[in-house]
Amino acid sequence: MLKDLIFSSFSFPMTINRHIPLWHQKASHRADGVILWDYHVICIQRKRDGDTHFVWDLDSSLPFPCPLATYMSETVRPSFQLFSEFQRFFRVVHAPIFLHHFASDRRHMKDSDGNWTAQPPTYETIVAEDGSVHNLNEYIEIHAADVGKYLPADLTSAVFSQKHGVVFGEAQLEEFVSQIS
């Protein structure tokens, strides 16, 4: 199964308040399912036929898994005109690299007094293979210099080799996925 997972993808805002809207999310209290996330993790799977891509989003109310094109149009809504302070970016990291390096002890889910700001997941915290217990910020911090850092010919190589993958704008993500099929 792991070889079929081409990458994990993070959707991040590059805004001062670090929030970005995504639709069809279970945590939303609105009819349209929109919610502002400070970050969001999904997995995009390439089926063995190479032509089919699915998104695995545990927080989505769309079908599970969801075809990539449907997910992009219904959840990301690239045609929806956002306020200028909102820009969506995606950090694309090859799944085996992500699973090897990523760690989160959930400290980002606690307030300054150490109280939970939201109910934590029931599964264990994530410890990286090197023993790191928390490096979430390395993945969620995105700077203007991160976008388009690699030349087109180097993009695929960078996604499949760099610890923090590659950062794409929303218009670039589907184009990239179609190129690696």
Side-chain angles (χ1 to χ4, degrees):
M1 174 79 171
L2 188 59
K3 64 184 173 186
D4 296 331
L5 299 178
I6 46 173
F7 49 80
S8 297
S9 176
F10 286 74
S11 170
F12 297 97
M14 196 163 90
T15 64
I16 293 171
N17 65 9
R18 293 178 48 148
H19 288 92
I20 205 67
L22 292 176
W23 283 260
H24 296 283
Q25 298 296 291
K26 293 174 187 174
S28 174
H29 299 291
R30 295 173 39 124
D32 60 3
V34 73
I35 194 165
L36 293 175
W37 289 116
D38 53 351
Y39 73 96
H40 195 64
V41 179
I42 63 173
C43 180
I44 300 176
Q45 175 189 26
R46 179 179 59 193
K47 294 299 251 182
R48 291 180 196 268
D49 65 16
D51 295 329
T52 310
H53 296 85
F54 288 100
V55 172
W56 297 77
D57 179 352
L58 298 173
D59 299 300
S60 178
S61 60
L62 293 174
F64 186 80
C66 185
L68 176 61
T70 301
Y71 186 86
M72 291 298 290
S73 67
E74 296 295 320
T75 300
V76 177
R77 295 197 178 180
S79 62
F80 186 83
Q81 187 62 41
L82 295 174
F83 294 109
S84 60
E85 69 265 22
F86 292 112
Q87 295 181 40
R88 286 180 285 229
F89 293 95
F90 299 85
R91 182 178 300 279
V92 180
V93 184
H94 187 48
I97 293 172
F98 175 74
L99 294 171
H100 178 79
H101 293 286
F102 181 76
S104 174
D105 62 6
R106 301 191 185 116
R107 67 181 71 170
H108 65 287
M109 296 179 68
K110 293 184 177 182
D111 64 21
S112 58
D113 294 325
N115 300 311
W116 293 108
T117 58
Q119 185 65 31
T122 57
Y123 53 85
E124 294 294 319
T125 59
I126 303 166
V127 178
E129 288 186 18
D130 68 1
S132 298
V133 295
H134 191 79
N135 60 17
L136 175 65
N137 289 341
E138 293 176 24
Y139 289 89
I140 65 175
E141 291 293 327
I142 291 183
H143 306 282
D146 295 334
V147 181
K149 187 168 152 180
Y150 296 94
L151 298 171
D154 298 331
L155 283 176
T156 301
S157 175
V159 164
F160 288 96
S161 63
Q162 299 298 313
K163 174 181 176 181
H164 297 113
V166 174
V167 177
F168 292 100
E170 63 186 275
Q172 300 167 307
L173 181 63
E174 279 192 279
E175 181 181 337
F176 171 75
V177 170
S178 70
Q179 290 176 2
I180 62 171
S181 296

